[in-house]
Amino acid sequence: MTCREACFSQEAPRPPLVNWRVARRRALACFVGLTLGMAVTSLGATGCTLAATGVAFGDYDFLSPGALEGAGAITVHCDADTSYTIALSPGYGSYETRRMMSGEHPLGYNLYTDVPRTIVWGDGTGGTQTVGGSVADHAYPVYAKVPADQNPYVGTYTDNIIVTLTF
């Protein structure tokens, strides 16, 4: 099942208006697997490709005191060992706070290069970092987090991230 199928096949019904303050809200989110725009820049004879596995966060419980975390992966395959960098776009938001959208309703999140989720994966500007390597085949984990204390509408939340591979 692709990330797109997982998100759109599990849309949650709206809770009755009477219970709206205590009902568990369901927000499904996917990353990269929805729309993977790839920009590949080649400066030599080596050929490289990339593939991405999206992040499916699952249900976001607005009553939970903890953040919702998930992970995906970006896999790089090159014909030979060559140096490259991987950059991610800000999507609908900014690098400070990316936003998934359900119609006009936002849900903040971000993507990180590290397990503790402290280094924002971006394009190298504004305090973000890119990921680089020189191995012909390698999978790079993408760590994601939706912070607690948000009050989203019930729905399916998505974002479009462009992955840029430069080698």
Side-chain angles (χ1 to χ4, degrees):
M1 178 180 299
T2 66
C3 188
R4 180 183 301 249
E5 291 166 347
C7 281
F8 290 105
S9 67
Q10 298 179 15
E11 188 160 341
R14 291 192 179 266
L17 290 177
V18 176
N19 296 326
W20 72 272
R21 291 183 187 257
V22 295
R24 178 180 168 149
R25 293 188 184 183
R26 188 173 179 169
L28 302 176
C30 291
F31 140 79
V32 177
L34 290 174
T35 302
L36 173 60
M38 291 185 274
V40 179
T41 305
S42 178
L43 301 175
T46 302
C48 292
T49 60
L50 62 91
T53 303
V55 175
F57 287 106
D59 295 346
Y60 179 81
D61 183 353
F62 76 104
L63 296 174
S64 175
L68 180 62
E69 296 181 345
I74 296 173
T75 303
V76 176
H77 170 75
C78 296
D79 296 337
D81 288 351
T82 186
S83 295
Y84 53 82
T85 59
I86 306 166
L88 302 182
S89 73
Y92 292 133
S94 66
Y95 288 120
E96 185 175 329
T97 303
R98 287 181 164 100
R99 293 182 316 169
M100 293 178 279
M101 301 297 292
S102 178
E104 62 186 44
H105 306 291
L107 180 62
Y109 80 104
N110 223 325
L111 303 172
Y112 303 90
T113 63
D114 62 331
V115 173
R117 293 162 174 84
T118 58
I119 302 169
V120 175
W121 193 337
D123 64 0
T125 64
T128 68
Q129 289 190 3
T130 60
V131 171
S134 61
V135 180
D137 288 300
H138 193 74
Y140 296 91
V142 180
Y143 301 101
K145 178 172 69 174
V146 180
D149 298 326
Q150 298 184 67
N151 195 13
Y153 281 79
V154 175
T156 300
Y157 287 77
T158 60
D159 194 2
N160 297 317
I161 300 296
I162 297 172
V163 179
T164 304
L165 176 64
T166 305
F167 58 96

